[in-house]
Every structure is written in C-alpha cells, then in structure tokens.
Amino acid sequence: MNCYETIDLMDEALEGRLAPAARARFDEHLDECRVCRTYLDQLRVTIQALERLPRASATDQRRSELLAAFKRELGR
Amino acid sequence: MLTRLRSGDPTAFATLVDELHGGLVAFAGTFTSSPALAEDITQETWLAVIRGLHAFEARSSLKTWIYSILARRARTMAARDARHSDPGPGTAGARPGPDVEWEPGQGRRGLWEEAPVPWALEDPASIHQSREALEVLQAALEALPETQRRVVLLRDVEDLPAVDVCNVLDLSETNQRVLLHRGRARLRRALDQYVRNGVRPSTPAGRGAGGGSQ
C-alpha cells in the first residue's frame, strides 16, 4: 500500500471499519511511513478534541417554553 | 427514552433538550448566517418533534430523526429568509479556501504543504485539556465551508453514524466521506499551526479587523 491508498482509508481505519486484510496492509505502510503515521495520529487527536468541544445550552426562557409546549401536547 | 417521552414525561423531554439543543443550534447555523434564525429553526424543530413523537416509527435513532427534521426545516426557512432579505456578502461560513481541496486518490494534495511533523507534546491528549486549543478548533470549525461543517458536526461532534449523516444531508456515501476528510484535514491544519507556531486563526467575525481578539 502506498501513501495515496493509505490516506484514502484513514477515516475507515479510525472507525475500525477496515477489513482484516486491508488493515494489515494499512498497518504495514504506517510502520514504514512516518509521515502517514504522524498525519493519522494528528487526525485522531483532532477528532477526539471535536468530541470535547463545549456545548451551548438552551436559555432558561427557551427551555421553559419548550417544556410548556411539550406538556400542552403530551401532558398527562 | 422514547417510551417516557410518548407517555408525556417532562423530565425525559428536559433531558433531551439539555443534551441536544446546543448541537442543533450549531447545526442550524450552517444553513444561515443569522444566529436569530438558527434559534428559530431549532425552536421550530423542537415543536415538530413534540407533535411528531407519536408518529415517529423509530426506524432511525431519535437523535437522527430530530436532525433530519431540522435539516428539512432549515432548508425551507433559510430559503424563505434569503428571498426576503438583501443578499448578504456570501453565505454562512462560505469562505473560499486558498487551498486545493483534497480528493480521494490524490494523496497529500490539499492536506498539507509540508509533511506533518509530530507535535512536540508530552501527551497529545493535553490538547483536549487546553481551553485555548479547543477555542482554536471551534474557530476553525466555524470557518469551514458549510457543507464540510455539516458533515463534521454530525459525524465528529454529534457522533452520528455515516449512513445517518448521508440520509440527513442527502449525500452519497462517497461525497460524505470526501467532505468529512476535507473538513478534518482543515481542522488538523488549524491545530497544527496553533501547536507548532502558536497561530490562532481569526474568527469569522474578526476577519479583516486587523486581528487582536482578547
């Protein structure tokens, strides 16, 4: 496997969706290629950082409006 | 969760709102440059969710269903809004990138100009603990072209499966993959510039203002 093919498969590899045979050839390339290895590591850190971005939450007013609408429609 | 929602349990609904509202507003923001309209789109989505709960057939996850509703509303509402207002300077987040865009089979083209060098961090995960790094990432995310931003938000921030993202955004599997990689590549590059050179990208709002965010 060369760098081109390796890069094409990186997103699947990060999700653990590579078939075993492809995985073996993918890993073989990474063992030999520092550039691809670095890129993949940095992609992984980037994705993990995305999961940690702080989320905005609904304002109290918006939240109570929505709860009121929910109770009107589905209130028991 | 679904059973509790259908039975009218307000605590379940409050939990759902707390979990999803921020992400929905961010996603709505990829369809419009107006924060107020993004809030309206999200509000409309919640109301449609409340009305639709009983008819929801659970063929997808609740979260995916809610995002599909938002995407449909957003397209209609943003289109209506665009007709009524002056055409602004460009659409939300659509910054023409100076860079070549990556395509499958093109290797590094569009991904980096110089070979990536390892980040000199004892623990790469320290990036996750750094508020400043996360701010850099947030700014870079907001600066992505909106098609890339949508895919990255749904896949990486909201953790929806690829097949669901294709459905919500009406994208082919290939197209989804390409947009995801392009978006991730730009975000990696922003973190790279920050980690190695301390460069903080200007936020879209601060663009051209001569820099200097506090």
Side-chain angles (χ1 to χ4, degrees):
Chain A
M1 197 173 282
N2 59 30
C3 292
Y4 285 34
E5 294 167 296
T6 305
I7 289 167
D8 285 352
L9 292 177
M10 280 187 180
D11 294 306
E12 270 115 323
L14 287 166
E15 289 159 33
R17 289 202 292 136
L18 281 187
R23 179 85 224 184
R25 291 172 57 232
F26 183 86
D27 288 342
E28 199 177 307
H29 176 83
L30 287 184
D31 283 342
E32 295 161 1
C33 179
R34 204 175 67 99
V35 171
C36 280
R37 203 160 58 233
T38 303
Y39 183 64
L40 182 69
D41 281 346
Q42 293 179 353
L43 273 185
R44 186 181 290 118
V45 172
T46 304
I47 294 164
Q48 288 165 350
L50 282 168
E51 291 163 7
R52 287 168 174 79
L53 285 180
R55 309 287 184 89
S57 47
T59 59
D60 288 345
Q61 192 200 335
R62 179 51 52 95
R63 198 170 179 275
S64 358
E65 281 168 17
L66 288 172
L67 269 172
F70 178 81
K71 287 176 187 161
R72 269 199 307 279
E73 185 80 20
L74 292 145
R76 41 183 176 189
Chain B
M1 175 60 108
L2 187 57
T3 320
R4 285 173 61 206
L5 288 170
R6 280 177 173 157
S7 73
D9 180 349
T11 316
F13 184 69
T15 307
L16 192 68
V17 171
D18 291 340
E19 271 174 25
L20 298 186
H21 190 79
L24 290 169
V25 173
F27 182 57
T30 67
F31 293 92
T32 170
S33 53
S34 152
L37 185 60
E39 270 289 339
D40 286 351
I41 291 169
T42 310
Q43 169 84 354
E44 287 290 316
T45 301
W46 280 121
L47 297 178
V49 167
I50 292 169
R51 286 191 299 266
L53 269 174
H54 281 296
F56 171 54
E57 293 177 32
R59 277 182 299 198
S60 65
S61 72
L62 186 61
K63 185 170 172 177
T64 296
W65 177 62
I66 295 173
Y67 271 94
S68 318
I69 294 175
L70 191 146
R72 276 198 301 274
R73 303 241 143 202
R75 288 191 195 105
T76 342
M77 290 176 74
R80 199 186 309 147
D81 189 62
R83 276 200 300 275
H84 288 294
S85 57
D86 290 332
T91 48
R95 286 212 273 168
D99 326 292
V100 184
E101 290 276 25
W102 175 80
E103 294 284 350
Q106 285 193 355
R108 69 182 189 86
R109 219 167 97 86
L111 299 181
W112 64 77
E113 293 78 38
E114 296 159 37
V117 293
W119 291 335
L121 303 167
E122 269 179 45
D123 177 12
S126 63
I127 283 194
H128 308 148
Q129 261 80 55
S130 156
R131 215 176 109 188
E132 199 176 51
L134 293 183
E135 282 170 11
V136 166
L137 186 64
Q138 182 71 48
L141 180 62
E142 281 165 23
L144 287 182
E146 65 262 36
T147 49
Q148 293 174 21
R149 189 150 48 109
R150 277 170 206 152
V151 176
V152 171
L153 277 175
L154 295 187
R155 287 295 307 281
D156 291 338
V157 181
E158 297 303 328
D159 201 25
L160 291 187
V163 58
D164 288 17
V165 175
C166 291
N167 286 333
V168 170
L169 297 178
D170 201 14
L171 290 174
S172 72
E173 164 85 39
T174 309
N175 216 341
Q176 190 262 162
R177 245 164 40 85
V178 171
L179 290 170
L180 180 67
H181 201 109
R182 284 179 184 169
R184 285 173 170 176
R186 286 189 189 219
L187 299 177
R188 183 207 69 89
R189 200 156 33 183
L191 279 181
D192 186 56
Q193 290 183 348
Y194 167 72
V195 172
R196 290 171 50 226
N197 308 321
V199 175
R200 308 191 47 172
S202 56
T203 56
R207 224 182 314 162
S213 62
Q214 286 119 8

